Amino acid sequence: MKAIWSAKGYILLGFISYAIFVVLTAPLEFVWPKIEPKLGRLPVQVEAVTGTIWQGQAQVKSAQIGSVSASWDIQVSELLSGNLTALIDVKGNDLKLDGKVSTDGDQVEVSGISAFMSSQYLKPLLKQGRAALEGNFELTDFNSVVTLSDKQIHSAGGRIVFSGGDISFPIDGRKIDAQLPILVGNITKPSDNVDLAITDTEGNSIGSGYVQPDGWSGLKIRRRLLDLLGQKWPQDVSEDTVIFEVSQKLL
């Protein structure tokens, strides 16, 4: 009895490990119907799930991006420290993303994120300024820390490259059609806002973007962009003058 009592810690650890193993390897088709009602209203519609909680796949749909396929691989070694960490892979129509996501419940950290996105997903934002854009965006080495309870972004960094493509926008009542060159965007968070500095391949400022703590985002374009497009601004202003600006609630 004494030997059994002294080994109670190992027995408890073994029981907990077994319980975690059973939960993680349970089929999602069985687990998801029991979990879904307790999650409340989700920002996406879950159409189908397969695999297990440990390694699974889901088909989800949202109004913003349509249907995508998402898969994940939970890093079991980090569960004992109280963190839920998973390697994720998301694929959709002209859309893909992969990297690592970690959470302790309220705080979410993403790291090593790479993504590819068609400009078609920017149409609602650009439509406000009667503009249109063709081309693709590629995100590399993106990282961020966000708290879910107050939707606050605590850190952000990464690099995004636009492939170049056709663009149209109004100037002084005229519609301009042109070819946009390759552009580079650097994502930083120097203060409260998440900033996006947009430059050409030579480092000249083309514009800027931002996401505020209240969830509003915006985009500004400078006159220098017209020089790259071979167009002239009707007024005599400097190449750093903002000639196009749009904002939209993002978060």
Side-chain angles (χ1 to χ4, degrees):
M1 290 295 295
K2 184 177 181 180
I4 295 176
W5 178 255
S6 63
K8 65 182 182 300
Y10 296 102
I11 296 174
L12 179 61
L13 178 60
F15 177 78
I16 293 175
S17 299
Y18 176 75
I20 293 175
F21 174 79
V22 170
V23 171
L24 291 179
T25 57
L28 276 175
E29 294 92 335
F30 173 77
V31 176
W32 178 246
K34 302 179 184 302
I35 297 177
E36 186 178 18
K38 300 179 181 179
L39 297 179
R41 186 175 181 179
L42 297 174
V44 297
Q45 177 185 351
V46 179
E47 298 180 323
V49 293
T50 57
T52 65
I53 295 179
W54 186 351
Q55 293 177 319
Q57 301 83 38
Q59 193 74 26
V60 301
K61 183 178 182 180
S62 75
Q64 292 78 21
I65 62 175
S67 295
V68 299
S69 175
S71 62
W72 62 90
D73 184 353
I74 294 177
Q75 308 298 287
V76 182
S77 59
E78 298 196 29
L79 286 176
L80 297 179
S81 62
N83 292 322
L84 178 62
T85 300
L87 301 178
I88 61 169
D89 185 66
V90 179
K91 295 180 181 177
N93 181 27
D94 289 328
L95 175 73
K96 62 181 180 179
L97 179 148
D98 62 78
K100 184 168 74 171
V101 178
S102 180
T103 179
D104 60 3
D106 186 43
Q107 182 171 283
V108 176
E109 178 180 358
V110 297
S111 58
I113 298 293
S114 296
F116 173 88
M117 182 186 75
S118 166
S119 59
Q120 66 173 309
Y121 294 101
L122 297 180
K123 285 183 178 180
L125 179 64
L126 295 172
K127 192 175 182 180
Q128 295 183 34
R130 293 179 295 149
L133 177 66
E134 298 294 333
N136 301 314
F137 296 85
E138 187 171 357
L139 178 69
T140 56
D141 199 26
F142 178 74
N143 60 85
S144 181
V145 176
V146 180
T147 51
L148 300 178
S149 57
D150 55 9
K151 297 182 180 180
Q152 293 298 301
I153 303 173
H154 299 283
S155 66
R159 187 172 186 265
I160 187 168
V161 175
F162 173 65
S163 64
D166 294 333
I167 185 173
S168 64
F169 53 92
I171 293 182
D172 197 25
R174 298 182 299 116
K175 181 183 177 183
I176 302 298
D177 294 301
Q179 182 77 19
L180 193 63
I182 296 174
L183 298 178
V184 179
N186 288 307
I187 303 169
T188 59
K189 191 178 183 299
S191 55
D192 291 338
N193 291 354
V194 176
D195 291 339
L196 172 66
I198 307 171
T199 67
D200 59 18
T201 54
E202 297 180 356
N204 299 311
S205 177
I206 301 301
S208 61
Y210 65 87
V211 178
Q212 298 177 167
D214 60 4
W216 277 92
S217 63
L219 177 67
K220 299 178 180 180
I221 299 298
R222 304 187 186 281
R223 198 218 74 187
R224 183 177 288 109
L225 178 62
L226 293 183
D227 299 338
L228 294 176
L229 298 177
Q231 303 292 326
K232 290 186 177 181
W233 185 248
Q235 302 176 19
D236 184 16
V237 296
S238 73
E239 56 188 5
D240 284 319
T241 300
V242 175
I243 61 170
F244 173 81
E245 184 173 357
V246 65
S247 63
Q248 179 174 309
K249 185 73 171 180
L250 181 65
L251 301 174

